[in-house]
Amino acid sequence: MHLAIIGAGMAGLSAARELRQRHPDLSITIYEKSRGVGGRVATRRRNGFVFDHGAQVIKAQDEDMDRLLHTGLPTEGLRHITQPVYVFHADGTIVEGDPTLNAEPSRFYAAGLNQLGKLLAAGLDVRREIRIAALRHETGTERWMLFDANGAHAGTADAVLLTPPAPQTAEILAMSEFDPTLRDALVRELIRVPYRRCLTLTLAYDRPIERPFYALVNVDRQHPVAWLALEHTKGTERCPPGHSLLIVQMSGHFSLQQWDAPAEELASAVIEMVSMVLEEDLRRPMWYDRQGWRYALPDGVAKADMLNSTQTGLFFAGDYAVGLGRIHLAIKNGQEVARAIDAWLNR
Ligand SMILES: Cc1cc2nc3c(=O)[nH]c(=O)nc-3n(C[C@H](O)[C@H](O)[C@H](O)COP(=O)(O)OP(=O)(O)OC[C@H]3O[C@@H](n4cnc5c(N)ncnc54)[C@H](O)[C@@H]3O)c2cc1C
């Protein structure tokens, strides 16, 4: 029996690990369109700086997640954020954050949060830089053929788990050949869940920027800056001594409006806003980095039961099945769907 998994993000990798444990004889191939694993749990390196430009922290008050991080995976470099998150309002006021939320563990890896993806992927067969564009259900054998973006045959499997964000999964299905009534119903369900965009600006400075918080979050959702983190507080691995790194995540509304803005224009507008929020002149960073997340966070939830009950060998997982963009929830969802796949394979 062979399972193909599309996407090596949290959901795809955790599903593969769960199935490898339950079904040692099952062969599993993961197809990933990018060069690395981890999906939106992503880290970049530049000029001696290391920064998490996607997900920031693993924030979960969750026993399963604790077990995975502390006993299921090597713990080297696993750290806690020690400073609190403060909140800021559209009018610029900054106040201390919710003490209960701040007391919950907030974890990261010293070498970069993408360490989590690398650890989860250890020993798995991940084929990188293959974008799966379409599937075809073979009548007779009931197997699924996978095709890449050039239309080349990439593999054949008894079951396929799709884990890209809902709109991207819908695109794959729309290009696929199988029962058109079922295909249209699945696409309709998937496109019900839009994703918010997020423009992320990383700013590097050759001087210390000290504050009593690790990050600021805009709770009234009226400010164009949604999240502002002092990435250098994650430790000495993040930047040279005496330097600073700021991660600025823009609101969904601002990101959509400014998506095509030239990087320089965008950077100077963002720097202006951050200078106001932190009440410090932050013009002239050493460098800045722009990342656009077209599918950053789900704005809704799909009917996971409907998607995963087709009895055709097609399965779906990812944060849109939970309705909240969180690392631990995507991992849990991957594990849950893996159990459904296991039951289907053993039917
Ligand atoms: C800016 C930002 C900040 C965030 N901050 C946090 C945070 O601090 N804490 C937290 O818990 N969560 C955070 N999240 C949310 C969290 O990162 C996601 O909810 C979670 O990583 C989703 O995992 P996933 O496996 O569902 O999807 P993804 O990570 O999107 O994985 C899907 C994978 O599929 C691949 N793929 C897509 N299409 C194809 C194709 N056609 N063929 C092959 N491969 C394909 C993608 O490259 C990707 O690797 C943040 C997200 C963003 C964008």
Side-chain angles (χ1 to χ4, degrees):
M1 291 289 237
H2 187 72
L3 169 71
I5 298 181
I6 305 177
M10 294 297 110
L13 294 174
S14 63
R17 283 172 61 91
E18 180 77 19
L19 277 160
R20 188 177 56 177
Q21 234 174 18
R22 292 176 166 259
H23 233 288
D25 299 337
L26 178 67
S27 86
I28 304 174
T29 307
I30 306 178
Y31 297 90
E32 169 54 52
K33 74 176 164 68
S34 56
R35 268 186 296 160
V37 295
R40 282 169 272 162
V41 181
T43 302
R44 257 186 201 155
R45 287 170 174 75
R46 183 167 169 174
N47 306 344
F49 292 76
V50 179
F51 52 102
D52 300 322
H53 61 125
Q56 304 282 284
V57 290
I58 310 161
K59 187 157 181 66
Q61 189 86 299
D62 186 287
E63 272 178 31
D64 293 340
M65 196 64 197
D66 286 349
R67 207 170 312 119
L68 175 69
L69 293 178
H70 291 283
T71 55
L73 297 171
T75 53
E76 200 188 330
L78 182 63
R79 303 235 178 105
H80 278 83
I81 297 280
T82 49
Q83 282 167 280
V85 172
Y86 279 21
V87 300
F88 76 102
H89 301 275
D91 64 8
T93 48
I94 296 178
V95 290
E96 288 187 19
D98 180 337
T100 315
L101 281 178
N102 274 319
E104 287 177 7
S106 214
R107 284 160 290 203
F108 66 97
Y109 288 90
L113 207 52
N114 73 341
Q115 179 81 6
L116 180 58
K118 290 181 189 166
L119 293 174
L120 290 172
L124 297 174
D125 176 15
V126 184
R127 312 266 166 96
R128 295 157 205 246
E129 297 186 76
I130 300 182
R131 176 196 284 270
I132 298 301
L135 310 173
R136 187 195 301 154
H137 203 201
E138 290 182 298
T139 36
T141 65
E142 301 307 310
R143 300 188 87 207
W144 289 93
M145 292 176 75
L146 289 86
F147 299 92
D148 70 14
N150 301 316
H153 178 223
T156 302
D158 299 286
V160 182
L161 168 61
L162 296 99
T163 71
Q168 290 179 305
T169 293
E171 272 174 38
I172 298 173
L173 292 192
M175 298 304 292
S176 299
E177 287 176 41
F178 62 103
D179 174 3
T181 312
L182 173 63
R183 186 188 59 200
D184 294 351
L186 293 172
V187 169
R188 268 201 307 277
E189 184 54 28
L190 289 161
I191 59 172
R192 278 199 323 106
V193 186
Y195 270 63
R196 247 175 287 155
R197 295 188 190 203
C198 179
L199 282 169
T200 300
L201 264 286
T202 303
L203 309 169
Y205 293 91
D206 57 2
R207 64 174 195 273
I209 299 174
E210 310 282 358
R211 293 292 185 280
F213 46 80
Y214 149 63
L216 290 176
V217 61
N218 174 228
V219 278
D220 59 19
R221 294 184 171 219
Q222 300 298 314
H223 200 284
V225 173
W227 170 265
L228 168 55
L230 277 59
E231 185 77 346
H232 51 274
T233 59
K234 284 183 175 170
T236 51
E237 296 85 351
R238 295 299 170 134
C239 60
H243 289 62
S244 306
L245 260 180
L246 302 181
I247 303 274
V248 195
Q249 292 174 351
M250 306 309 291
S251 70
H253 180 67
F254 178 93
S255 300
L256 185 61
Q257 275 188 333
Q258 299 299 321
W259 193 253
D260 296 318
E264 213 162 301
E265 211 174 276
L266 174 72
S268 66
V270 170
I271 289 169
E272 190 88 6
M273 289 182 227
V274 176
S275 298
M276 301 257 287
V277 172
L278 291 182
E279 296 181 343
E280 179 173 339
D281 183 356
L282 292 163
R283 282 171 296 177
R284 288 181 291 280
M286 290 168 72
W287 52 261
Y288 66 84
D289 178 274
R290 173 203 181 276
Q291 164 73 23
W293 295 101
R294 186 178 284 273
Y295 304 110
L297 299 166
D299 239 349
V301 58
K303 288 186 194 127
D305 288 352
M306 177 265 182
L307 294 173
N308 286 319
S309 61
T310 67
Q311 302 298 327
T312 61
L314 275 190
F315 292 91
F316 302 84
D319 56 2
Y320 67 88
V322 195
L324 202 58
R326 291 286 181 279
I327 295 170
H328 69 288
L329 297 180
I331 288 178
K332 271 191 168 208
N333 184 248
Q335 291 165 338
E336 254 168 52
V337 176
R339 291 192 277 277
I341 296 173
D342 186 34
W344 188 79
L345 292 171
N346 291 324
R347 72 198 183 282

